[in-house]
Each structure stands twice: as structure tokens, then as C-alpha cells.
Amino acid sequence: ASMAETSETTLDAFVAERPADRVVFDWPLGGCPALLSKVEAPHFASRAITSYGPSLFVSFGAGGGGPHVDSGATHFWQLVHAGAKEYRVAAADDWPRLFADEAAWTKAFFRDPRCSGIVGAVPTSCDDGFGASPVDFFDDAAVAATTARRLWSGVVGPGDAIFVPADAPHQVRNAPAPTVAVSMNYVDATNRARALAAAAPAYHPRWLARLKVRGDALAGSRAPWYARQ
């Protein structure tokens, strides 16, 4: 999902301005006890072993992000307080099938080493297309042209909560009306093993340096996997 930060502001100023072309996205509520105390959570959230959030989403215009999978093999829930959000959710094992072709899927996840900085300076003409996106989940014709087997569609309105399981690809659009929602990513007993496996590359020493020459890590591979170019 593509995002761009704008100039810093306060929540009060944002709400007073009501901009149609900007959103409050995934703003942690931990630093605002007054708002946090008013957050409602679905009953199953009490099973969380660890979590990120709750966090706040506010929008005053239609729009949304691209299709993506939340990191860390975390489940998440989102509760809409006002407005509405339209969801498209696919099964986890359909993720590779939601790219236009195998070449697009390859570019989404695999870099040309020459363009990554691992084997020296990056050539000025190097463009491997890394980070290619799947098809737009709201483009029915594009989805129909893939081999994806199922795609759930639904609208989450005021007082409704949605649960999206770990590794499930999803895409969200906001209603044109002012929309306020709270969300939390979390790990419980049902996805604990997957979350631990997803976190292993970030913390295990064997993954911190992928490529070595005579025992020394190459410059481009010293960073954790998630921080590499």
C-alpha cells in the first residue's frame, strides 16, 4: 500500500480542517489517554498475547490504500465509529494468484542483486521493478483475470467490527462521508507460531547478514532483512 507523509499537525487541527485529500492513518492512541479511554474493542481482542495499537483512522473523503498483507503474521480487527469502510479480503493462499502474472509476482518480492546495493554501487540505469503490486481488488475485471479463487466483499458501518486473519490480503476504501475507525493488530494463540516464524529473520543472528565474503558481511546485507533496499 502506498503512502506519503504530509506536514505535521495536531488531531484537533486536522478535524477542524476536514481535508478531503489527507487522512489520519494508523495513529497510535497510547499517547492520548482521553481518546483511548473511549475506545471500544470486540470481545475476542481480550485473547491477545501481544498487540500493536489500538490506533486511529480518520478520513473526510473517499479513497483508500492499495492491496497489501499486514506484516508480522498478525491478525487485526477494525471497529468503525462513524462513516463506513468497504473491504475486499482474500484468502492467504490466494496472495500469489492476485498478481497479473508470474513476472509481476516475482518483481514484488525478489530484487535483481545489482539493483539492491548488495554487490556494489547501484547502476544509475538499474530498475528491476521491485515492489510491484497485485491487481486492484476493486477492479472486478482485473481480479477475474487472475487465478484467485475467492474474494470477500463487505461494508463495515458504524458499530460494526471486522476481523481479518493473519496473512490475509486485503484492500480498503473509505466512504465519502467523514469516517472514524479504530484498529489493532495482535497475536493470540491461533497465530502465535506464524508470528514467531515471521519475526525470526529480524532477530536471529543467522539472518542479520545474508551474504559473506571470507567471513565478512557485504555492506548491502548487514541490515536486517526488512531494512534492506
Side-chain angles (χ1 to χ4, degrees):
S2 178
M3 281 283 174
E5 291 189 2
T6 61
S7 56
E8 187 172 325
T9 187
T10 65
L11 187 59
D12 282 346
F14 181 87
V15 171
E17 183 183 352
R18 300 168 68 93
D21 60 343
R22 286 173 285 141
V23 299
V24 174
F25 184 85
D26 214 10
W27 186 70
L29 286 169
C32 188
L35 274 177
L36 186 61
S37 66
K38 298 180 182 300
V39 169
E40 297 179 354
H43 66 88
F44 53 79
S46 62
R47 301 198 300 256
I49 299 170
T50 186
S51 64
Y52 167 78
S55 54
L56 181 68
F57 296 75
V58 182
S59 67
F60 292 99
H68 63 284
V69 173
D70 283 19
S71 63
T74 54
H75 299 319
F76 83 86
W77 58 262
Q78 185 166 70
L79 177 65
V80 173
H81 288 263
K85 288 178 175 282
E86 184 178 3
Y87 267 82
R88 297 283 173 94
V89 184
D93 56 2
D94 266 350
W95 184 230
R97 300 182 177 93
L98 285 160
F99 290 82
D101 50 41
E102 186 173 347
W105 179 85
T106 301
K107 289 179 179 179
F109 300 104
F110 298 97
R111 297 222 65 170
D112 180 333
R114 295 168 298 176
C115 301
S116 68
I118 289 178
V119 293
V122 178
T124 56
S125 61
C126 201
D127 181 9
D128 58 2
F130 181 65
S133 298
V135 299
D136 187 335
F137 290 5
F138 289 92
D139 185 336
D140 294 333
V143 172
T146 71
T147 57
R149 295 165 295 181
R150 50 200 181 276
L151 191 68
W152 179 87
S153 176
V155 176
V156 187
D160 294 338
I162 183 174
F163 166 77
V164 177
D167 297 328
H170 56 280
Q171 186 173 358
V172 189
R173 283 184 175 173
N174 300 316
T179 298
V180 179
V182 174
S183 181
M184 187 174 83
N185 286 70
Y186 69 99
V187 176
D188 66 13
T190 64
N191 64 328
R192 178 177 178 273
R194 294 165 73 179
L196 286 171
Y203 299 105
H204 198 290
R206 69 176 288 194
W207 297 106
L208 294 181
R210 283 286 180 84
L211 300 178
K212 294 186 176 183
V213 175
R214 298 185 181 88
D216 295 326
L218 295 179
S221 69
R222 289 197 183 106
W225 66 272
Y226 54 81
R228 295 185 185 127
Q229 291 182 329

